[in-house]
Amino acid sequence: MSGAFLAGVVAGYGIAVPVGAIAVLIAGLSARTSLRVGAAAGLGAATADGIYALVAVAGGAAVAGFIAPVATPLRWAGAAVLLALAAWTAWGALRSPGVTERAERPTTALRAYAGILGLTLLNPATVIYFAALVLGAGGAGGGAWFVIGAFLASASWQLLIAGGGTLIGRLLTGPRGRLTTALVSSLVIAVLAVRLLMPS
């Protein structure tokens, strides 16, 4: 039990810690709305990691083999969604500050959770990563503990990102600070979307 759980924790941090577009989105949501919304978004990303860990434990190589042929279309879809989010964030930020703030407040925790969950699920590399780890460890022994460990590790990291975004939001509470963080966030998301399309 403890070995599988620790393997899951290490795997969860391994997939969650590298800062990518999802982390930027979570931090940006927290900075512009609230910790509650950012935390919900973070839990959406952690749920996707947990789902992929479960899929990897249940299906292993078969699932990875099934996903490999559609990895490129999924990458393109993910990049398109990220570019649309970058454009939407920049457009909202460039409107008058009062309008931007009012427009961003309706973002609910449930919407943030569902949106980030869906976007994170567009990353087929995650299930391949977990499948390789599970197979490398000799199969799915202690599979449930592996999944729990991966989910908890990812959730703890995503909540840390959300808390950091809230802290930044408090430091940059004025209209100019909100504009700056929104534009920087949209630029970083756009760059990460382009990088997603580049061959590795």
Side-chain angles (χ1 to χ4, degrees), residues 10 19 21 37 70 87 100 108 113 126 138 156 160 176 189-191:
V10 171
V19 175
V37 171
V70 295
T100 301
T108 65
Y113 175 85
T126 306
S156 68
L160 181 66
R176 186 169 290 167
I189 292 166
V191 168

Side-chain angles (χ1 to χ4, degrees), residues 80-130:
V81 170
L82 289 173
L83 286 171
L85 281 169
W88 179 261
T89 301
W91 177 74
L94 291 172
R95 293 182 298 172
S96 67
V99 173
T100 301
E101 191 167 343
R102 283 195 302 275
E104 299 231 0
R105 286 296 170 193
T107 302
T108 65
L110 184 59
R111 278 187 194 166
Y113 175 85
I116 296 296
L117 170 63
L119 192 54
T120 308
L121 286 173
L122 285 173
N123 184 7
T126 306
V127 73
I128 294 168
Y129 165 83
F130 281 128

Side-chain angles (χ1 to χ4, degrees), residues 11 15 48-49 51-57 59-75 120-137 146 200:
I15 200 72
D49 288 344
I51 289 170
Y52 273 149
L54 179 62
V55 167
V57 165
V63 174
F66 174 76
I67 286 179
V70 295
T72 299
L74 284 175
R75 261 199 351 264
T120 308
L121 286 173
L122 285 173
N123 184 7
T126 306
V127 73
I128 294 168
Y129 165 83
F130 281 128
L133 287 175
V134 169
L135 292 172
F146 178 88
S200 41

Side-chain angles (χ1 to χ4, degrees), residues 26-43:
I26 293 166
L29 272 171
S30 289
R32 293 187 311 273
T33 57
S34 68
L35 177 59
R36 184 169 172 264
V37 171
L43 290 175

